[in-house]
């Protein structure tokens, strides 16, 4: 399943209240900016880390930004999420769906 499609599927889960802390969103944003400045420029990273903007708004805008940039950038978001919040990462709806489809194929 393309990472873009996974992000579309996982966005409601990720943006639900309290799922991602401000500190975690900052860590992911900084990782994307520092390791992959072509994904997030310094100016974009500042925008997504601005404490004057509500966290949910920043997170939704970050996910939309990544979706517009393409599949590879969405993949790097997942890598950053897994690096910084593995316990959350393994509960993503797209992973559950993938794991169920693999299990079903194994039965056939």
């Amino acid at each position: 399943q393309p990472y873009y499609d996974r992000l579309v599927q996982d966005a409601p889960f990720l943006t639900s209240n309290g799922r991602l802390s401000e500190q975690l969103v900052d860590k992911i944003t900084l990782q994307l900016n520092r390791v992959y400045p072509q994904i997030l420029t310094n100016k974009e990273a500042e925008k997504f880390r601005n404490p004057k903007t509500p966290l949910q708004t920043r997170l939704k805008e970050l996910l939309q930004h990544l979706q517009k940039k393409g599949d590879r950038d969405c993949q790097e978001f997942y890598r950053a999420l897994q690096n910084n919040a593995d316990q959350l990462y393994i509960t993503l709806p797209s992973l559950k769906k993938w794991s169920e489809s693999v299990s079903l194929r194994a039965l056939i």
Side-chain angles (χ1 to χ4, degrees), residues 83-98:
N83 288 343
N84 292 289
D86 190 54
Q87 292 302 311
L88 176 65
Y89 178 82
I90 62 174
T91 65
L92 291 170
S94 64
L95 284 181
K96 286 183 180 180
K97 184 177 180 181
W98 178 81

Side-chain angles (χ1 to χ4, degrees), residues 35-96:
V35 179
Y36 304 100
Q38 67 275 22
I39 294 175
L40 281 184
T41 65
N42 288 338
K43 185 176 181 179
E44 290 166 336
E46 286 174 22
K47 173 187 170 189
F48 298 128
R49 296 183 68 228
N50 183 350
K52 293 179 183 174
T53 305
L55 177 60
Q56 296 310 108
T57 302
R58 287 185 277 146
L59 181 56
K60 285 178 185 177
E61 289 176 356
L62 172 62
L63 298 181
Q64 289 169 349
H65 172 81
L66 294 169
Q67 289 169 341
K68 288 177 189 170
K69 297 213 52 169
D71 198 60
R72 190 182 76 70
D73 295 15
C74 294
Q75 179 180 9
E76 295 308 330
F77 168 80
Y78 279 105
R79 184 170 291 144
L81 180 64
Q82 187 174 20
N83 288 343
N84 292 289
D86 190 54
Q87 292 302 311
L88 176 65
Y89 178 82
I90 62 174
T91 65
L92 291 170
S94 64
L95 284 181
K96 286 183 180 180

Side-chain angles (χ1 to χ4, degrees), residues 94-108:
S94 64
L95 284 181
K96 286 183 180 180
K97 184 177 180 181
W98 178 81
S99 142
E100 289 169 3
S101 72
V102 168
S103 296
L104 286 175
R105 280 190 226 135
L107 294 173
I108 299 173

